[in-house]
Amino acid sequence: MRLDTPPRETVIRRFLDQAGWGAARRQPMGADWSARRYERLTLNGATAILMDCRDEVAASQVPPFVQIAGLLRDCALSAPLILAGDEPQGLLLIEDFGGDDYARLLDSGEEPWQPLYEVATDVLVTLHQRFVPASAPDLSRYDVGLFRDQVMLFADAFAPVVRGRVLPAGAWDELAEAWEGVLPAALSLPPTLLLRDYHPGNLMRLKGRAGVAACGLLDFQDGGIGPRAYDLVSLLEDARRDVPEELRQAMTLRYLAAFPGIHQGAFRASAAILGAVRHARILGRVAQLIQATTGAPQLSFLPRVWGQFTGAIRHPALLPIAHWVERHLPANLDADTIVRSF
């Protein structure tokens, strides 16, 4: 089924008319790394956000977005209310959380970093204390196979470019086997609801709400059941900004203090492995975007994410990955060399 037949604008106008927002003023808000587009609607002093998922892949993420939003609200967390939806057409009308996303607040210097990160960390504590995985048996499972499949984008898209040639025979399988060997340690702790893209660009400061409810949550449609360290790593090892080491350590200890039964060594090993997975996947995905789009702005992320990846694989649990990198990628690969490769 093609989602642009009839014309997409006709589908949207019909949806807004049925939802009672047909007369709203529409303001484009841009897009993310997918086929999703967003508009802010204004009608009689009220606002709402139109989420427009324009292809079948993006539209398939609408039902999990609705489901996970409900699970988050059940945990007394602030996910957008769903005001109207046409899931087959990939359209949602959701609550407007305003414009105070954490990324803007951090980058502008408008707010000190520590209080924002404390609330964001406390959101994960609350979620992991309250969510019961058995309550969502149909969500995706982030297991060894899924993580391995995602992380191999590193070998497909990033490694050949920085090498200047294709990988030698057997190298791809060697890396896949290495990940299969290290990933079980990342999944050794009890699982929880994993939001996947938990970073300042998807967190909103909500005025008039207190505690963890003051942090609005967005872009969780790729969530599922998975390891608890993943979202904390996503928050503290950000592709878009350098989080000070002392703040990263303080938030890790803040999280662990809420779970005295968790073995700290196991948690830190899991975090290192999941950080390496996330960074490798981002390197691969950004490499894809750069090759597909001239002047892709994500090029600026590569040096930072490469540094995060190489830092993560220093952990003893990732020795097989470090050995693969030593054998198959150029020695002393630095930020300038990476940027020039693209």
Side-chain angles (χ1 to χ4, degrees):
M1 180 185 69
R2 288 178 54 84
L3 295 181
D4 56 352
T5 305
R8 190 63 177 166
E9 183 60 22
T10 300
V11 174
I12 291 172
R13 287 183 178 277
R14 183 185 304 134
F15 169 68
L16 293 178
D17 285 341
Q18 292 172 347
W21 286 78
R25 180 169 59 87
R26 296 166 56 185
Q27 178 184 0
M29 297 177 65
D32 53 23
W33 290 19
S34 75
R36 289 185 296 272
R37 300 293 183 270
Y38 300 90
E39 296 181 15
R40 173 168 281 117
L41 309 183
T42 304
L43 180 66
N44 299 327
T47 62
I49 301 297
L50 173 68
M51 180 191 296
D52 174 15
C53 302
R54 289 181 171 251
D55 67 15
E56 293 189 25
V57 173
S60 70
Q61 297 172 328
V62 170
F65 181 93
V66 173
Q67 180 184 7
I68 294 172
L71 294 171
L72 292 169
R73 289 195 298 273
D74 288 344
C75 293
L77 298 173
S78 292
L81 293 170
I82 309 300
L83 307 178
D86 184 341
E87 294 186 7
Q89 287 293 345
L91 293 169
L92 285 179
L93 194 62
I94 64 174
E95 181 182 6
D96 183 4
F97 278 165
D100 284 343
D101 61 90
Y102 277 30
R104 185 187 70 78
L105 297 172
L106 293 169
D107 296 344
S108 69
E110 186 175 329
E111 291 287 336
W113 285 36
Q114 179 128 351
L116 293 174
Y117 277 91
E118 287 178 351
V119 175
T121 301
D122 291 348
V123 166
L124 294 179
V125 168
T126 299
L127 176 60
H128 298 171
Q129 287 174 336
R130 296 180 180 179
F131 177 73
V132 178
S135 67
D138 55 335
L139 283 182
S140 298
R141 259 44 183 183
Y142 279 80
D143 57 14
V144 169
L146 182 56
F147 279 125
R148 180 207 58 220
D149 291 346
Q150 292 182 346
V151 78
M152 291 309 294
L153 189 58
F154 175 86
D156 293 334
F158 178 80
V161 174
V162 297
R163 281 172 51 86
R165 58 193 186 280
V166 299
L167 288 169
W172 194 98
D173 290 337
E174 179 188 335
L175 182 58
E177 290 174 6
W179 280 116
E180 288 173 355
V182 304
L183 276 165
L187 280 68
S188 62
L189 299 173
T192 187
L193 180 58
L194 181 156
L195 302 181
R196 190 171 180 265
D197 286 316
Y198 192 79
H199 59 77
N202 291 329
L203 305 177
M204 308 293 297
R205 182 182 64 180
L206 304 181
K207 296 177 181 178
R209 304 191 194 187
V212 293
C215 180
L217 306 176
L218 299 173
D219 200 16
F220 41 73
Q221 61 280 336
D222 290 318
I225 307 300
R228 59 182 52 235
Y230 189 93
D231 286 334
L232 187 65
V233 170
S234 300
L235 175 68
L236 300 178
E237 299 185 20
D238 192 343
R240 296 163 178 81
R241 61 192 52 78
D242 297 315
V243 180
E245 175 65 19
E246 60 271 22
L247 182 58
R248 291 170 52 200
Q249 292 302 324
M251 294 305 101
T252 300
L253 291 173
R254 185 182 183 91
Y255 178 89
L256 287 169
F259 299 97
I262 289 181
H263 187 279
Q264 293 200 14
F267 182 86
R268 291 183 182 277
S270 177
I273 296 167
L274 295 169
V277 167
R278 181 171 175 83
H279 305 323
R281 181 180 62 81
I282 291 174
L283 289 169
R285 177 61 176 144
V286 171
Q288 265 189 336
L289 290 170
I290 292 170
Q291 294 172 72
T293 307
T294 303
Q298 294 88 353
L299 177 62
S300 63
F301 298 165
L302 287 179
R304 177 181 295 108
V305 179
W306 174 250
Q308 292 168 334
F309 173 72
T310 56
I313 63 174
R314 294 191 188 104
H315 192 282
L318 285 149
L319 193 60
I321 307 302
H323 284 167
W324 187 94
V325 169
E326 290 172 3
R327 286 193 298 272
H328 296 297
L329 297 188
N332 302 316
L333 189 60
D334 59 18
D336 290 339
T337 304
I338 290 172
V339 171
R340 286 198 302 270
S341 298
F342 289 90

